[in-house]
Protein backbone atom coordinates (compact mmCIF):
# COMPACT_ATOMS: atom_id res chain seq x y z
CA UNK A 1 0.00 0.00 0.00
CA UNK A 2 1.12 3.52 -0.80
CA UNK A 3 0.34 6.73 1.03
CA UNK A 4 -1.08 9.83 -0.59
CA UNK A 5 0.21 13.28 0.25
CA UNK A 6 -0.89 16.79 -0.69
CA UNK A 7 2.03 18.19 -2.67
CA UNK A 8 0.37 21.31 -4.06
CA UNK A 9 -2.43 23.67 -3.07
CA UNK A 10 -4.05 26.52 -4.98
CA UNK A 11 -7.05 28.77 -5.06
CA UNK A 12 -8.79 31.35 -7.18
CA UNK A 13 -11.52 33.81 -6.22
CA UNK A 14 -13.37 36.22 -8.53
CA UNK A 15 -12.22 39.87 -8.43
CA UNK A 16 -15.71 41.21 -7.69
CA UNK A 17 -15.99 42.01 -3.98
CA UNK A 18 -19.48 42.24 -2.49
CA UNK A 19 -19.44 44.05 0.84
CA UNK A 20 -22.09 43.94 3.54
CA UNK A 21 -22.82 47.58 2.71
CA UNK A 22 -23.64 46.64 -0.88
CA UNK A 23 -26.00 43.89 0.30
CA UNK A 24 -27.68 46.39 2.63
CA UNK A 25 -28.62 48.46 -0.40
CA UNK A 26 -30.38 45.52 -2.06
CA UNK A 27 -32.15 43.97 0.93
CA UNK A 28 -33.16 44.73 4.48
CA UNK A 29 -29.97 43.80 6.27
CA UNK A 30 -26.96 45.56 7.80
CA UNK A 31 -23.22 45.22 8.18
CA UNK A 32 -23.80 44.89 11.94
CA UNK A 33 -26.26 41.99 11.63
CA UNK A 34 -24.14 40.08 9.13
CA UNK A 35 -20.94 40.57 11.08
CA UNK A 36 -22.48 39.61 14.42
CA UNK A 37 -24.38 36.54 13.16
CA UNK A 38 -21.87 35.20 10.63
CA UNK A 39 -18.50 36.97 10.95
CA UNK A 40 -18.57 37.82 7.24
CA UNK A 41 -17.40 41.26 6.05
CA UNK A 42 -17.28 40.59 2.32
CA UNK A 43 -17.49 37.78 -0.22
CA UNK A 44 -16.62 37.33 -3.91
CA UNK A 45 -19.31 36.96 -6.54
CA UNK A 46 -18.47 35.82 -10.05
CA UNK A 47 -18.23 38.10 -13.04
CA UNK A 48 -20.62 36.81 -15.72
CA UNK A 49 -18.79 36.29 -18.98
CA UNK A 50 -15.46 35.92 -17.19
CA UNK A 51 -15.74 33.39 -14.37
CA UNK A 52 -17.07 29.87 -14.74
CA UNK A 53 -16.99 27.03 -12.21
CA UNK A 54 -14.59 24.98 -14.35
CA UNK A 55 -12.50 28.02 -15.31
CA UNK A 56 -12.01 29.05 -11.67
CA UNK A 57 -11.17 25.43 -10.87
CA UNK A 58 -8.58 25.41 -13.67
CA UNK A 59 -6.90 28.49 -12.19
CA UNK A 60 -6.81 26.90 -8.72
CA UNK A 61 -5.44 23.64 -10.20
CA UNK A 62 -2.70 25.46 -12.14
CA UNK A 63 -1.54 27.06 -8.87
CA UNK A 64 -1.57 23.69 -7.12
CA UNK A 65 0.42 22.03 -9.93
CA UNK A 66 2.93 24.86 -9.98
CA UNK A 67 3.50 24.61 -6.24
CA UNK A 68 3.90 20.85 -6.51
CA UNK A 69 6.30 21.24 -9.44
CA UNK A 70 4.37 18.64 -11.41
CA UNK A 71 3.28 19.26 -15.02
CA UNK A 72 -0.40 18.92 -15.88
CA UNK A 73 0.52 16.09 -18.25
CA UNK A 74 1.24 13.89 -15.20
CA UNK A 75 -2.25 14.24 -13.73
CA UNK A 76 -4.07 10.95 -14.06
CA UNK A 77 -7.42 11.55 -12.34
CA UNK A 78 -9.72 14.48 -11.53
CA UNK A 79 -12.14 14.58 -8.62
CA UNK A 80 -14.38 17.64 -8.86
CA UNK A 81 -16.65 18.66 -5.98
CA UNK A 82 -19.36 21.22 -6.69
CA UNK A 83 -23.05 21.78 -6.11
CA UNK A 84 -23.11 24.47 -8.79
CA UNK A 85 -21.85 22.85 -12.00
CA UNK A 86 -21.64 25.01 -15.12
CA UNK A 87 -24.15 22.73 -16.84
CA UNK A 88 -26.90 20.48 -15.51
CA UNK A 89 -24.93 17.83 -17.41
CA UNK A 90 -22.18 17.01 -18.26
CA UNK A 91 -20.42 17.60 -14.96
CA UNK A 92 -17.66 20.12 -14.42
CA UNK A 93 -14.89 17.50 -14.22
CA UNK A 94 -14.79 17.04 -17.99
CA UNK A 95 -14.75 20.80 -18.55
CA UNK A 96 -11.76 21.05 -16.23
CA UNK A 97 -10.04 18.20 -18.08
CA UNK A 98 -10.56 20.19 -21.29
CA UNK A 99 -9.58 23.55 -19.79
CA UNK A 100 -6.32 22.10 -18.46
CA UNK A 101 -5.58 20.51 -21.83
CA UNK A 102 -5.20 17.06 -20.29
CA UNK A 103 -5.30 13.77 -22.14
CA UNK A 104 -8.41 11.59 -21.74
CA UNK A 105 -7.95 11.14 -17.99
CA UNK A 106 -11.02 10.15 -15.97
CA UNK A 107 -13.02 12.90 -14.28
CA UNK A 108 -15.38 12.21 -11.40
CA UNK A 109 -17.94 14.73 -10.18
CA UNK A 110 -18.92 14.73 -6.52
CA UNK A 111 -22.08 16.34 -5.17
CA UNK A 112 -21.75 16.35 -1.43
CA UNK A 113 -22.31 20.02 -0.80
CA UNK A 114 -20.16 21.54 1.97
CA UNK A 115 -18.57 18.13 2.60
CA UNK A 116 -17.75 17.67 -1.09
CA UNK A 117 -14.05 18.33 -0.75
CA UNK A 118 -13.63 16.02 2.27
CA UNK A 119 -15.50 13.28 0.39
CA UNK A 120 -13.46 13.94 -2.76
CA UNK A 121 -10.15 13.77 -0.94
CA UNK A 122 -11.11 10.43 0.60
CA UNK A 123 -11.95 9.02 -2.85
CA UNK A 124 -8.68 10.25 -4.35
CA UNK A 125 -6.78 8.85 -1.38
CA UNK A 126 -8.24 5.38 -1.96
CA UNK A 127 -7.19 5.38 -5.62
CA UNK A 128 -3.66 6.40 -4.73
CA UNK A 129 -3.29 4.01 -1.78
CA UNK A 130 -4.35 1.08 -3.92
CA UNK A 131 -1.76 1.97 -6.57
CA UNK A 132 -4.21 2.87 -9.34
CA UNK A 133 -3.20 6.54 -9.75
CA UNK A 134 -0.17 8.66 -8.90
CA UNK A 135 -1.32 12.25 -9.26
CA UNK A 136 -4.91 13.27 -8.59
CA UNK A 137 -6.37 16.76 -8.69
CA UNK A 138 -9.06 17.26 -6.07
CA UNK A 139 -10.95 20.49 -6.55
CA UNK A 140 -13.91 22.33 -5.07
CA UNK A 141 -15.40 25.18 -7.07
CA UNK A 142 -18.66 27.06 -6.72
CA UNK A 143 -20.65 29.87 -8.30
CA UNK A 144 -23.50 30.25 -5.84
CA UNK A 145 -24.30 33.92 -6.27
CA UNK A 146 -26.28 33.34 -9.48
CA UNK A 147 -28.87 31.28 -7.57
CA UNK A 148 -29.18 33.56 -4.55
CA UNK A 149 -32.35 35.51 -3.96
CA UNK A 150 -31.24 39.04 -3.16
CA UNK A 151 -34.71 40.18 -2.09
CA UNK A 152 -35.64 40.37 1.61
CA UNK A 153 -37.07 36.89 1.40
CA UNK A 154 -33.71 35.38 0.52
CA UNK A 155 -31.53 37.50 2.80
CA UNK A 156 -30.68 34.76 5.32
CA UNK A 157 -28.84 32.85 2.58
CA UNK A 158 -27.77 35.69 0.32
CA UNK A 159 -25.52 37.23 2.96
CA UNK A 160 -23.66 33.99 3.68
CA UNK A 161 -22.71 32.40 0.40
CA UNK A 162 -19.86 33.30 -1.94
CA UNK A 163 -18.03 32.07 -5.03
CA UNK A 164 -14.51 30.70 -5.50
CA UNK A 165 -12.36 27.64 -6.11
CA UNK A 166 -9.66 25.70 -4.31
CA UNK A 167 -7.62 22.66 -5.33
CA UNK A 168 -4.95 20.26 -4.19
CA UNK A 169 -2.69 17.87 -6.00
CA UNK A 170 -2.64 14.55 -4.18
CA UNK A 171 0.45 12.52 -4.98
CA UNK A 172 1.57 8.94 -4.37
CA UNK A 173 4.22 8.82 -1.67
CA UNK A 174 6.37 5.95 -0.49
CA UNK A 175 7.16 7.80 2.75
CA UNK A 176 4.86 5.98 5.20
CA UNK A 177 5.25 8.63 7.87
CA UNK A 178 3.54 11.48 6.00
CA UNK A 179 0.30 11.87 4.07
CA UNK A 180 -3.39 11.15 4.60
CA UNK A 181 -3.90 8.91 7.62
CA UNK A 182 -7.65 8.45 7.56
CA UNK A 183 -11.03 9.78 6.44
CA UNK A 184 -14.38 9.44 8.15
CA UNK A 185 -17.58 10.22 6.23
CA UNK A 186 -21.25 10.37 7.23
CA UNK A 187 -24.64 11.25 5.83
CA UNK A 188 -28.16 11.51 7.19
CA UNK A 189 -30.78 12.07 4.50
CA UNK A 190 -33.53 12.57 7.09
CA UNK A 191 -32.49 16.22 6.96
CA UNK A 192 -32.25 16.51 3.16
CA UNK A 193 -34.89 19.25 2.97
CA UNK A 194 -33.31 21.47 5.64
CA UNK A 195 -30.80 22.94 3.17
CA UNK A 196 -31.91 22.39 -0.38
CA UNK A 197 -32.29 23.67 -3.90
CA UNK A 198 -35.09 21.61 -5.43
CA UNK A 199 -34.97 22.61 -9.08
CA UNK A 200 -34.14 21.56 -11.70
CA UNK A 201 -34.89 18.25 -10.01
CA UNK A 202 -35.97 15.36 -12.21
CA UNK A 203 -38.68 13.76 -10.05
CA UNK A 204 -40.88 16.82 -10.11
CA UNK A 205 -44.60 16.77 -10.84
CA UNK A 206 -44.23 19.30 -13.65
CA UNK A 207 -41.81 19.33 -16.54
CA UNK A 208 -38.75 20.68 -14.88
CA UNK A 209 -37.13 23.24 -17.14
CA UNK A 210 -40.20 24.85 -18.72
CA UNK A 211 -41.94 25.27 -15.40
CA UNK A 212 -39.10 26.78 -13.43
CA UNK A 213 -40.73 30.17 -13.71
CA UNK A 214 -43.99 28.76 -12.32
CA UNK A 215 -42.20 27.08 -9.44
CA UNK A 216 -39.98 30.08 -8.79
CA UNK A 217 -39.89 29.44 -5.05
CA UNK A 218 -38.38 26.02 -5.57
CA UNK A 219 -35.70 27.22 -7.92
CA UNK A 220 -34.23 29.27 -5.07
CA UNK A 221 -32.12 27.69 -2.36
CA UNK A 222 -33.75 27.16 1.03
CA UNK A 223 -32.05 26.79 4.40
CA UNK A 224 -33.57 26.18 7.80
CA UNK A 225 -30.69 28.11 9.36
CA UNK A 226 -31.37 27.34 13.04
CA UNK A 227 -31.76 23.61 12.43
CA UNK A 228 -28.60 23.46 10.28
CA UNK A 229 -26.72 25.46 12.91
CA UNK A 230 -27.79 23.12 15.73
CA UNK A 231 -26.61 20.03 13.87
CA UNK A 232 -23.41 21.72 12.68
CA UNK A 233 -22.21 22.60 16.18
CA UNK A 234 -22.73 18.99 17.23
CA UNK A 235 -21.29 17.21 14.19
CA UNK A 236 -18.17 19.32 13.58
CA UNK A 237 -16.51 18.68 16.98
CA UNK A 238 -17.88 15.12 17.16
CA UNK A 239 -16.35 13.90 13.89
CA UNK A 240 -13.10 15.80 14.50
CA UNK A 241 -12.64 14.15 17.90
CA UNK A 242 -13.65 10.79 16.45
CA UNK A 243 -10.98 10.82 13.74
CA UNK A 244 -8.31 11.94 16.23
CA UNK A 245 -9.22 9.25 18.75
CA UNK A 246 -9.56 6.53 16.13
CA UNK A 247 -5.99 7.22 15.05
CA UNK A 248 -4.56 7.37 18.56
CA UNK A 249 -4.32 11.16 18.92
CA UNK A 250 -5.74 13.66 21.36
CA UNK A 251 -6.93 17.16 20.52
CA UNK A 252 -3.68 18.53 21.94
CA UNK A 253 -1.75 16.67 19.18
CA UNK A 254 -3.51 18.65 16.46
CA UNK A 255 -1.36 21.32 14.80
CA UNK A 256 -3.99 22.77 12.47
CA UNK A 257 -7.74 22.35 12.06
CA UNK A 258 -9.30 23.57 8.83
CA UNK A 259 -13.08 23.51 9.20
CA UNK A 260 -15.50 24.21 6.39
CA UNK A 261 -16.21 27.93 6.67
CA UNK A 262 -19.93 27.86 7.46
CA UNK A 263 -20.27 30.65 9.98
CA UNK A 264 -17.68 32.24 12.29
CA UNK A 265 -19.90 31.41 15.28
CA UNK A 266 -19.72 27.73 14.32
CA UNK A 267 -15.93 27.90 13.93
CA UNK A 268 -15.62 29.59 17.34
CA UNK A 269 -17.80 26.90 18.89
CA UNK A 270 -15.59 24.13 17.45
CA UNK A 271 -12.54 25.99 18.71
CA UNK A 272 -14.04 26.16 22.21
CA UNK A 273 -15.08 22.51 22.23
CA UNK A 274 -11.62 21.40 21.21
CA UNK A 275 -9.89 24.07 23.34
CA UNK A 276 -7.77 25.10 20.37
CA UNK A 277 -5.66 28.25 20.49
CA UNK A 278 -6.27 30.76 17.69
CA UNK A 279 -3.21 29.70 15.70
CA UNK A 280 -4.44 26.09 15.44
CA UNK A 281 -7.68 26.82 13.59
CA UNK A 282 -8.12 28.47 10.21
CA UNK A 283 -10.79 31.06 9.52
CA UNK A 284 -11.14 33.18 6.39
CA UNK A 285 -14.94 33.48 6.26
CA UNK A 286 -14.57 37.20 6.99
CA UNK A 287 -13.29 37.71 3.40
CA UNK A 288 -14.94 34.97 1.38
CA UNK A 289 -18.19 33.96 3.09
CA UNK A 290 -19.30 30.35 2.79
CA UNK A 291 -18.03 28.90 -0.51
CA UNK A 292 -19.43 25.37 0.09
CA UNK A 293 -17.17 22.73 -1.57
CA UNK A 294 -14.47 25.35 -2.23
CA UNK A 295 -14.15 26.61 1.33
CA UNK A 296 -11.74 24.00 2.73
CA UNK A 297 -9.32 23.97 -0.23
CA UNK A 298 -9.29 27.80 -0.34
CA UNK A 299 -8.53 27.92 3.40
CA UNK A 300 -5.92 25.18 3.00
CA UNK A 301 -4.24 27.04 0.14
CA UNK A 302 -4.17 30.29 2.11
CA UNK A 303 -2.78 28.52 5.18
CA UNK A 304 -0.08 26.93 3.04
CA UNK A 305 0.88 30.26 1.43
CA UNK A 306 1.03 31.84 4.89
CA UNK A 307 3.48 29.15 6.07
CA UNK A 308 1.04 27.66 8.60
CA UNK A 309 1.70 24.09 7.43
CA UNK A 310 5.01 22.49 8.41
CA UNK A 311 6.29 19.04 7.50
CA UNK A 312 4.88 16.40 9.89
CA UNK A 313 2.20 18.70 11.30
CA UNK A 314 -0.99 16.85 12.24
CA UNK A 315 -3.70 18.50 10.13
CA UNK A 316 -7.43 17.85 10.14
CA UNK A 317 -10.02 18.97 7.58
CA UNK A 318 -13.58 18.81 8.79
CA UNK A 319 -16.91 19.60 7.15
CA UNK A 320 -20.65 19.61 7.68
CA UNK A 321 -23.44 20.68 5.36
CA UNK A 322 -26.50 19.97 3.28
CA UNK A 323 -27.65 16.38 3.08
CA UNK A 324 -26.84 16.36 5.92
CA UNK A 325 -23.33 15.13 5.13
CA UNK A 326 -20.25 15.52 7.25
CA UNK A 327 -16.77 14.09 7.66
CA UNK A 328 -13.06 14.61 8.32
CA UNK A 329 -9.69 13.86 6.76
CA UNK A 330 -6.66 13.52 9.00
CA UNK A 331 -3.11 13.85 7.65
CA UNK A 332 0.52 14.28 8.51
CA UNK A 333 1.58 17.24 6.40
O1 LIG B 1 -22.50 25.52 4.96
C1 LIG B 1 -22.99 24.61 5.88
C2 LIG B 1 -24.40 24.80 6.19
N1 LIG B 1 -24.77 26.12 6.63
C3 LIG B 1 -24.59 26.50 7.90
O2 LIG B 1 -23.96 25.86 8.70
C4 LIG B 1 -25.30 27.77 8.32
C5 LIG B 1 -26.00 27.53 9.63
N2 LIG B 1 -26.88 28.61 10.05
C6 LIG B 1 -26.46 29.88 10.29
O3 LIG B 1 -25.32 30.21 10.06
C7 LIG B 1 -27.43 30.84 10.92
O4 LIG B 1 -28.58 30.16 11.29
C8 LIG B 1 -27.80 32.06 10.02
C9 LIG B 1 -26.61 32.97 9.84
C10 LIG B 1 -28.31 31.59 8.67
C11 LIG B 1 -28.90 32.88 10.66
O5 LIG B 1 -28.47 33.32 11.93
P1 LIG B 1 -29.38 33.11 13.22
O6 LIG B 1 -28.69 33.71 14.35
O7 LIG B 1 -29.73 31.66 13.28
O8 LIG B 1 -30.62 34.00 12.86
P2 LIG B 1 -32.17 33.56 12.72
O9 LIG B 1 -32.38 32.77 11.48
O10 LIG B 1 -32.63 32.98 14.02
O11 LIG B 1 -32.84 34.96 12.53
C12 LIG B 1 -32.84 35.95 13.56
C13 LIG B 1 -33.53 37.18 13.02
C14 LIG B 1 -34.87 36.90 12.37
O12 LIG B 1 -35.74 37.99 12.66
P3 LIG B 1 -36.84 37.87 13.86
O13 LIG B 1 -37.70 36.70 13.47
O14 LIG B 1 -36.04 37.62 15.10
O15 LIG B 1 -37.50 39.17 13.81
C15 LIG B 1 -34.55 36.90 10.90
O16 LIG B 1 -35.66 37.25 10.10
O17 LIG B 1 -32.73 37.79 12.01
C16 LIG B 1 -33.51 37.98 10.82
N3 LIG B 1 -32.60 37.84 9.67
C17 LIG B 1 -31.89 38.87 9.20
N4 LIG B 1 -31.80 40.15 9.57
C18 LIG B 1 -30.96 40.93 8.87
C19 LIG B 1 -32.33 36.73 8.95
N5 LIG B 1 -31.43 37.02 7.99
C20 LIG B 1 -31.14 38.34 8.12
C21 LIG B 1 -30.28 39.20 7.43
N6 LIG B 1 -30.22 40.49 7.85
N7 LIG B 1 -29.52 38.82 6.41
Amino acid sequence: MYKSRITGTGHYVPDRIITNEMLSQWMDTSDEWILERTGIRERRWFEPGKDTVSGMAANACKNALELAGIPASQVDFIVFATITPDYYFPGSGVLLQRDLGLGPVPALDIRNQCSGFVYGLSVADQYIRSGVYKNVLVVGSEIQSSALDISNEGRAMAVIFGDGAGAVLLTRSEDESRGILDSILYSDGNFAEELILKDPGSSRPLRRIEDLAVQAAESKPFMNGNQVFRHAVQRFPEVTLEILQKNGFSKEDLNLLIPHQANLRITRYIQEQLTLPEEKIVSNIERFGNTTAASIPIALSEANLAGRLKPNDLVCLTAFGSGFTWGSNLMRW
Side-chain angles (χ1 to χ4, degrees):
M1 286 281 260
Y2 300 99
K3 266 234 161 20
S4 70
R5 196 160 69 77
I6 293 175
T7 49
T9 53
H11 70 280
Y12 170 89
V13 291
D15 293 333
R16 192 168 151 229
I17 296 175
I18 304 293
T19 62
N20 293 347
E21 295 298 344
M22 291 160 84
L23 292 174
S24 311
Q25 286 163 22
W26 304 328
M27 63 190 85
D28 187 9
T29 190
S30 65
D31 180 45
E32 249 181 338
W33 191 95
I34 301 170
L35 207 51
E36 188 189 314
R37 302 289 178 128
T38 71
I40 301 167
R41 286 181 193 276
E42 59 187 43
R43 72 289 291 142
R44 304 297 177 104
W45 283 7
F46 85 123
E47 289 187 40
K50 178 182 173 216
D51 298 311
T52 61
V53 168
S54 57
M56 295 194 307
N59 288 333
C61 288
K62 283 176 193 161
N63 293 339
L65 288 165
E66 200 181 316
L67 212 65
I70 289 181
S73 56
Q74 285 184 26
V75 170
D76 37 26
F77 188 39
I78 289 171
V79 181
F80 199 126
T82 185
I83 58 163
T84 54
D86 290 308
Y87 303 135
Y88 189 66
F89 71 81
S92 296
V94 297
L95 304 181
L96 176 63
Q97 177 267 341
R98 181 177 68 186
D99 287 355
L100 289 174
L102 305 183
V105 302
L108 174 70
D109 280 62
I110 296 222
R111 297 191 59 179
N112 283 84
Q113 305 74 245
C114 300
S115 314
F117 185 79
V118 165
Y119 266 73
L121 200 62
S122 79
V123 170
D125 178 43
Q126 295 302 322
Y127 273 107
I128 289 180
R129 272 175 199 247
S130 57
V132 177
Y133 299 124
K134 279 189 181 164
N135 290 301
V136 182
L137 280 171
V138 186
V139 51
S141 181
E142 305 282 8
I143 290 180
Q144 308 187 98
S145 55
S146 54
L148 293 174
D149 170 8
I150 58 168
S151 73
N152 282 348
E153 215 181 311
R155 66 182 179 176
M157 292 197 80
V159 302
I160 295 179
F161 291 96
D163 305 338
V168 301
L169 182 73
L170 200 65
T171 303
R172 178 194 287 183
S173 160
E174 314 224 343
D175 177 357
E176 281 285 312
S177 64
R178 290 170 66 194
I180 297 185
L181 304 173
D182 199 7
S183 295
I184 295 181
L185 308 173
Y186 288 110
S187 79
D188 186 348
N190 286 310
F191 299 97
E193 282 77 21
E194 302 294 346
L195 179 44
I196 191 168
L197 177 55
K198 285 191 180 170
D199 280 320
S202 46
S203 308
R204 315 286 293 134
L206 301 170
R207 286 178 58 78
R208 61 181 191 263
I209 305 296
E210 292 86 335
D211 292 312
L212 279 184
V214 179
Q215 300 179 37
E218 306 207 324
S219 61
K220 291 174 183 166
F222 164 80
M223 175 167 71
N224 181 349
N226 300 122
Q227 175 83 326
V228 177
F229 194 98
R230 262 203 306 280
H231 285 262
V233 292
Q234 179 193 338
R235 296 306 191 187
F236 269 111
E238 190 180 87
V239 71
T240 308
L241 286 172
E242 183 186 348
I243 202 164
L244 285 168
Q245 279 156 16
K246 184 176 162 216
N247 289 278
F249 298 108
S250 70
K251 51 192 168 64
E252 288 74 28
D253 295 320
L254 201 54
N255 295 105
L256 198 65
L257 179 66
I258 305 182
H260 161 55
Q261 308 288 301
N263 181 322
L264 186 62
R265 281 153 62 207
I266 296 176
T267 301
R268 292 284 174 245
Y269 187 85
I270 306 168
Q271 186 178 353
E272 249 174 60
Q273 292 295 301
L274 274 71
T275 52
L276 291 176
E278 194 75 15
E279 66 274 13
K280 287 194 174 185
I281 188 161
V282 174
S283 173
N284 64 4
I285 195 167
E286 188 183 38
R287 287 173 291 121
F288 299 133
N290 179 338
T291 56
T292 302
S295 95
I296 289 181
I298 293 175
L300 183 64
S301 169
E302 285 205 325
N304 201 14
L305 291 176
R308 294 181 73 180
L309 292 155
K310 313 245 171 353
N312 294 312
D313 272 359
L314 189 65
V315 179
C316 185
L317 315 181
T318 194
F320 173 87
S322 159
F324 294 144
T325 59
W326 64 103
S328 288
N329 316 111
L330 188 67
M331 66 198 76
R332 275 268 176 229
W333 192 255

